[in-house]
Amino acid sequence: MQPTSEISERYHAPQHPIPTHQPGFPERLRRSARLALRRSEPAPTLPILRKGFTRALLVSQVIALLTWLAALLIASKPQIVIWIDQQWRFTLAWQYLAHPYTMAGFLNPPWALVVLLPFSFMPLPLATLIQMGLYFGIITAIIFKFGGNLGSVLIALISFIVLDNAIELNIDWIVCIGLIVPSAWSAPFILVKPQEAIGIFASYSRQMFIRAGLVLLPVSLIALLIWGLWPVAMWDAIRQNLAPAIHNISPLHLLPAPLSIAIGLTLLVIAYKKRDPMRGIWGGLFLAPYVTLYSLLLPWALLAVRHPRLALLISVVMWVM
């Protein structure tokens, strides 16, 4: 089976293209046919229709359960606390829904709390188990959407990054939803944590970008009506809750800034020219001012799809270190 396209809006060419090259074909019809082919957008191949997806999804849920149990085991050790953000922020969505930025350390757009509302009414262990299952399941769907297979899933989910996710468990899974929904609906999800996947917009065509903006605009306006000047409040919260630099592993922090910016811009240009969302996401990481290890699961999964041997080698090195 040929791998599926790297983004849902890119498709295989028709098996029997319109014979515009034949002599005598009217020039006006030739131009119309070419325009129609450029504009056509047939339905994408869904990950669930790919061979092996169901098995890979089941494997991802087993891994989610095992890593959740591992986190509980780690928490039994003295002076080790797990799921801090979940306990003090994300499972308190209902309490802070009306005034999100009175919650200490909440640095995301306010609509993230709407997605998190159901977990406010669950015990912390159950809420984290469900979110971990969602996260790994969505990552599996992304891997298959971008042409990966069960091997890619195993490389991505049996890594030290996943163990760190089991201990921290932030809300990166909401961002990942933006990669499996139609591109028009992607922006509100991706902007929940923009440093993780904002570079994907560089791979969008003009039509895709406009459609995404037409969805994001009313979402943002409704948010303004409900929460007031939330962008100002969010920016103030970010300035007041700067995370310690020790947790920051962004290339912009670890490398000389000009080098990181040059690499990021180069990848974004390639993503734009080739409509390549993987390079777009990787390029965005080189421009992000703050990135944590657990937030690298998405770009790591994409690396496991495109360069599985390299990802496997890096994974072994991380475990050995």
Side-chain angles (χ1 to χ4, degrees):
M1 171 180 290
Q2 293 291 330
T4 57
S5 133
E6 292 176 351
I7 195 167
S8 60
E9 283 74 12
R10 187 186 296 172
Y11 308 97
H12 296 295
Q15 294 180 353
H16 303 288
I18 299 173
T20 60
H21 63 282
Q22 293 183 1
F25 197 90
E27 180 63 26
R28 181 174 58 83
L29 293 179
R30 181 183 290 112
R31 290 197 300 267
S32 299
R34 289 173 179 170
L35 184 60
L37 287 175
R38 287 197 298 267
R39 291 180 175 176
S40 61
E41 293 190 1
T45 301
L46 297 175
I48 196 172
L49 301 179
R50 294 268 327 272
K51 182 179 179 180
F53 174 73
T54 302
R55 178 185 300 178
L57 184 62
L58 291 174
V59 169
S60 75
Q61 298 310 289
V62 171
I63 295 175
L65 176 60
L66 292 177
T67 52
W68 178 79
L69 291 172
L72 290 177
L73 180 62
I74 293 171
S76 66
K77 305 296 181 180
Q79 299 181 342
I80 295 182
V81 181
I82 62 173
W83 306 328
I84 295 175
D85 288 334
Q86 291 287 336
Q87 183 173 358
W88 297 106
R89 296 185 185 96
F90 303 131
T91 56
L92 302 178
W94 174 251
Q95 295 177 230
Y96 291 93
L97 184 61
H99 304 284
Y101 301 104
T102 59
M103 181 194 307
F106 182 73
L107 312 176
N108 313 90
W111 56 78
L113 293 183
V114 177
V115 182
L116 294 168
L117 273 179
F119 304 105
S120 299
F121 308 102
M122 301 179 188
L124 179 63
L126 178 60
T128 53
L129 176 60
I130 294 176
Q131 289 182 67
M132 203 171 296
L134 285 170
Y135 194 10
F136 291 6
I138 295 169
I139 286 289
T140 301
I142 291 171
I143 287 173
F144 270 73
K145 173 183 175 180
F146 283 78
N149 52 32
L150 177 58
S152 309
V153 172
L154 291 174
I155 293 174
L157 297 184
I158 303 179
S159 66
F160 185 78
I161 296 174
V162 168
L163 180 60
D164 192 47
N165 264 283
I167 296 172
E168 301 290 344
L169 192 59
N170 209 268
I171 55 174
D172 305 87
W173 61 273
I174 299 179
V175 178
C176 291
I177 295 175
L179 274 74
I180 60 174
V181 298
S183 60
W185 298 91
S186 61
F189 298 103
I190 291 173
L191 294 181
V192 164
K193 292 186 69 174
Q195 69 269 31
E196 185 167 344
I198 196 170
I200 195 174
F201 294 130
S203 69
Y204 280 15
S205 66
R206 184 177 64 178
Q207 292 82 0
M208 293 165 61
F209 195 84
I210 291 174
R211 290 170 185 167
L214 290 176
V215 172
L216 178 62
L217 180 61
V219 171
S220 301
L221 292 177
I222 292 172
L224 286 172
L225 291 175
I226 297 175
W227 291 289
L229 294 176
W230 64 267
V232 176
M234 185 174 70
W235 178 246
D236 289 340
I238 291 173
R239 290 192 303 170
Q240 296 170 14
N241 293 273
L242 293 177
I246 191 174
H247 301 305
N248 189 2
I249 62 169
S250 73
L252 196 60
H253 176 69
L254 299 177
L255 300 176
L259 176 60
S260 182
I261 292 172
I263 295 173
L265 291 178
T266 300
L267 288 171
L268 291 176
V269 169
I270 297 174
Y272 172 76
K273 290 184 176 180
K274 296 190 175 183
R275 295 288 182 257
D276 186 345
M278 290 190 187
R279 286 190 175 96
I281 291 173
W282 295 333
L285 283 177
F286 280 87
L287 302 178
Y290 185 84
V291 177
T292 55
L293 180 62
Y294 58 78
S295 291
L296 293 179
L297 183 54
L298 172 59
W300 174 255
L302 298 179
L303 184 67
V305 173
R306 180 159 294 180
H307 304 291
R309 293 181 181 178
L310 176 61
L312 181 59
L313 175 62
I314 296 174
S315 181
V316 171
V317 171
M318 283 195 295
W319 278 114
V320 171
M321 292 176 61

